Amino acid sequence: MAKLHPSVREEVTQIIAQCDKALTGKAKIRITQGLRNNAEQDAMYAQGRTAPGKKITNAKGGQSIHNYGFAVDICLIIEGKTASWDTKKDWDNDKIADWYECVKIFALYGWEWGGNWKTFKDMPHFEKGNFNSWRKLSKLKKDKNGYIILS
């Protein structure tokens, strides 16, 4: 959280609080990934290509919104101990899948959900901004801490 772009940190904190309040049962939302550097992104890109495992991203270093601090991946923590990416489970028994309760809350704040993408659905992924792509972000100037300057 502390490494996300400063313009979204407080908003993500509010989203987490709203999600946890909505999930009145056994589940709580947790951020599993936020800002990634290019080397971390390249390692993820290699998975399923030149490294063992299933493909998990189509973005190389510098090509992910994560690389600019405007994206998070989430999971649900069940009963304080088990991580879950089950998008259908309704732990609070309110007839709405807990995952989708969180999707709706992120949407209220203008975050795009990777589960809505037409190709390569990324269910844990949420990103903020009207950047249209990493290409626009990569051209913006950065401050002394390495964050892009929004003006």
Side-chain angles (χ1 to χ4, degrees):
M1 286 276 295
K3 293 183 179 181
L4 289 175
H5 193 279
S7 68
V8 298
R9 285 183 202 150
E10 180 57 34
E11 188 169 275
V12 171
T13 300
Q14 291 171 13
I15 291 169
I16 291 170
Q18 281 195 315
C19 288
D20 285 347
K21 184 177 178 184
L23 306 177
T24 59
K26 301 175 186 177
K28 299 281 185 196
I29 186 176
R30 291 297 175 263
I31 304 299
T32 59
Q33 284 276 298
L35 178 70
R36 282 189 213 125
N37 65 37
N38 288 352
E40 292 167 325
Q41 190 68 39
D42 284 337
M44 292 178 78
Y45 181 80
Q47 189 173 322
R49 292 175 176 87
T50 58
K54 179 183 167 188
K55 286 183 184 178
I56 55 173
T57 184
N58 283 332
K60 295 178 182 178
Q63 297 178 346
S64 170
I65 303 299
H66 279 286
N67 301 139
Y68 303 94
F70 291 99
V72 296
D73 293 339
I74 68 164
C75 74
L76 297 177
I77 300 294
I78 312 308
E79 295 181 338
K81 56 188 170 194
T82 305
S84 173
W85 289 267
D86 187 330
T87 61
K88 294 178 174 50
K89 188 72 174 162
D90 178 21
W91 284 281
D92 60 4
N93 296 313
D94 63 358
K95 302 194 185 326
I96 303 168
D98 291 359
W99 196 273
Y100 290 97
E101 290 183 71
C102 295
V103 168
K104 288 178 185 179
I105 291 168
F106 271 94
L108 289 172
Y109 286 84
W111 287 68
E112 180 180 347
W113 178 42
N116 287 332
W117 295 346
K118 301 288 185 232
T119 60
F120 200 83
K121 291 190 180 288
D122 191 351
M123 303 304 266
H125 182 87
F126 295 85
E127 62 185 54
K128 177 70 178 220
N130 297 320
F131 305 117
N132 298 323
S133 78
W134 58 269
R135 286 179 180 88
K136 182 175 178 185
L137 286 169
S138 67
K139 294 176 183 175
L140 296 175
K141 292 181 182 179
K142 294 183 179 180
D143 67 16
K144 65 179 179 167
N145 297 311
Y147 294 106
I148 61 168
I149 300 169
L150 301 174
S151 46

